[in-house]
Amino acid sequence: MKKKMWMSLILGASMALAAGCGNDAGSTGTNGTSGGEGGDVAGEKKAYTIAISQYVEHPSLDATRDGFIAALKDGGLVEEDNLKIDLNNAQADAANNLSIAQKIATDKSDLVLGIATPSAQAVVQQVKDKPVLFAAVTDPLDAKLVTNLEKPGGNVTGASDTNPEAIKTLASFIAKQMPEIKKVGLVLNEGEANAVVMAGNAEAAFKEHDIELIKASVTNTSEVQQAADSLVSKVDALYITLDNTVVSAVDTIIKIANDKDIPFFSSDRDTVEKGAFATVGFKYFDHGYQVGEMAVDILKNGANPADLAITVPDKLDLILNLSAATEQGIEVTEEMKASVTDQETNIIQ
């Protein structure tokens, strides 16, 4: 994996520290935040503007955004009081994604959030004079968002939505509890860097248990149904990564899995709630909340993004959907249920 130094990010950070960027509430200080080096000034109510670029609408990304906004509110940044949110959605269109990033770069905002790898990459490339956070990004190093996870440097930091242990734990669960599964089909958009990284990790994890991963490629959401259909006769189960293109059309995969009585595994809780059988995951709301806390620290406390380490989900658990199991012809054993740590929360009826 290449980890080239991004000199433009470092230069951008230096420019931000030297010049700052203002909004209607007043001039900016350290890290592009209003109110000087410490964020808020005692006795003076500050107003902030946060620009959000979200790549596409689907449950995981929406929950990430909602968690982010909830953390802002809990930290004292409230819409229609002292906070304006400029929300932009690219609808999975690359041209829209770039245009949004370019617009944000010229607008007066105090901080920028990119949700999903394509949006994060676009805003990082365009925004050099204010803090940039990212969320729902699989591999920040491979995506060239930062050069170091502990000390990101520059004006960029955020949270990865992937813990490498998740796919390993899921593969072990499948191998132990469902030994009849020898081939797993993956619908994949190879144009999404995050999806390719996760596919490689999944392939390695399944190989450890002599399970073969068979891929069917797509370039847009309209191709997902045909790709999934093409896999059914070749595999014993279906699986998807945090692939924005595929997750946006996941209902078609759920229908195929239910109609064909084939187990369907995912990489996120929201897809399990919609109808996949199982994943090892976490709540995307909590993931977004983590990033929101970072935003509050930057804007209110004057924290420097360069010094804020990249976070990863730390509340992993097996998540099972019992209704989906029935639809997909899966017999859920007591041993399977015992693999779930928080059964009240993560066994979905």
Side-chain angles (χ1 to χ4, degrees):
M1 183 183 298
K2 296 182 179 178
K3 303 178 182 177
K4 298 180 180 178
M5 294 293 292
W6 277 28
M7 296 303 296
S8 60
L9 293 182
I10 298 173
L11 176 58
S14 299
M15 292 171 61
L17 294 174
C21 177
N23 64 11
D24 293 339
S27 63
T28 59
T30 303
N31 307 328
T33 62
S34 298
E37 294 188 5
D40 287 348
V41 174
E44 182 180 351
K45 185 175 181 179
K46 294 296 176 181
Y48 300 90
T49 298
I50 294 178
I52 299 177
S53 176
Q54 181 173 326
Y55 188 61
V56 68
E57 291 179 347
H58 68 61
S60 295
L61 301 188
D62 294 345
T64 298
R65 183 191 67 232
D66 292 344
F68 177 78
I69 294 172
L72 296 177
K73 184 177 180 180
D74 290 346
L77 300 177
V78 183
E79 288 186 270
E80 299 183 2
D81 180 13
N82 62 344
L83 175 65
K84 176 183 177 182
I85 294 179
D86 172 25
L87 179 60
N88 305 270
N89 195 304
Q91 299 297 344
D93 183 278
N96 288 345
N97 194 44
L98 177 59
S99 295
I100 288 169
Q102 291 172 334
K103 176 186 80 72
I104 289 173
T106 60
D107 286 348
K108 292 183 177 182
S109 55
D110 300 288
L111 181 141
V112 180
L113 171 67
I115 301 178
T117 299
S119 289
Q121 288 175 317
V123 294
V124 165
Q125 289 165 6
Q126 297 294 324
V127 179
K128 307 297 183 181
D129 61 349
K130 63 195 77 173
V132 175
L133 297 177
F134 57 79
V137 169
T138 299
D139 190 334
L141 295 175
D142 188 69
K144 297 182 173 61
L145 300 178
V146 296
T147 57
N148 187 293
L149 299 179
E150 292 298 319
K151 286 279 189 178
N155 65 321
V156 181
T157 189
S160 169
D161 62 357
T162 300
N163 186 318
E165 295 304 311
I167 183 57
K168 296 178 183 178
T169 304
L170 181 61
S172 296
F173 170 81
I174 294 171
K176 181 178 180 180
Q177 303 296 338
M178 308 176 76
E180 69 277 9
I181 295 178
K182 299 298 181 183
K183 295 182 179 181
V184 173
L186 170 66
V187 180
L188 174 70
N189 178 6
E190 294 182 335
E192 286 198 31
N194 61 307
V196 173
V197 170
M198 289 191 73
N201 293 339
E203 190 166 23
F206 285 127
K207 188 175 181 180
E208 287 289 322
H209 300 281
D210 296 321
I211 298 173
E212 182 182 359
L213 188 68
I214 299 175
K215 304 171 187 175
S217 296
V218 299
T219 58
N220 57 61
T221 56
S222 66
E223 298 172 355
V224 170
Q225 180 175 348
Q226 182 178 355
D229 271 328
S230 74
L231 288 169
V232 169
S233 63
K234 306 173 186 176
V235 301
D236 307 306
L238 297 171
Y239 166 73
I240 61 170
T241 68
L242 300 173
D243 184 322
N244 295 298
T245 301
V246 177
V247 174
S248 295
V250 75
D251 288 342
T252 62
I253 302 179
I254 292 171
K255 186 176 187 306
I256 290 169
N258 293 348
D259 290 346
K260 302 296 184 180
D261 285 342
I262 184 168
F264 174 33
F265 301 93
S266 73
S267 298
D268 66 293
R269 179 190 181 89
D270 298 292
T271 300
V272 173
E273 290 181 349
K274 291 190 74 173
F277 167 53
T279 191
V280 172
F282 56 93
K283 291 183 178 180
Y284 267 82
F285 183 93
D286 294 340
H287 171 67
Y289 196 95
Q290 279 185 307
V291 184
E293 289 179 316
M294 299 172 84
V296 172
D297 199 17
I298 291 169
L299 294 178
K300 302 269 292 191
N301 303 325
N304 191 336
D307 300 326
L308 297 179
I310 309 303
T311 65
V312 297
D314 57 1
K315 298 178 181 179
L316 294 178
D317 195 7
L318 179 67
I319 304 165
L320 302 178
N321 184 326
L322 302 188
S323 296
T326 300
E327 293 286 345
Q328 295 161 22
I330 303 166
E331 181 183 352
V332 179
T333 66
E334 291 303 315
E335 188 176 0
M336 287 182 181
K337 294 179 183 178
S339 301
V340 180
T341 300
D342 183 357
Q343 296 190 14
E344 183 177 350
T345 301
N346 293 330
I347 294 182
I348 302 167
Q349 302 297 326

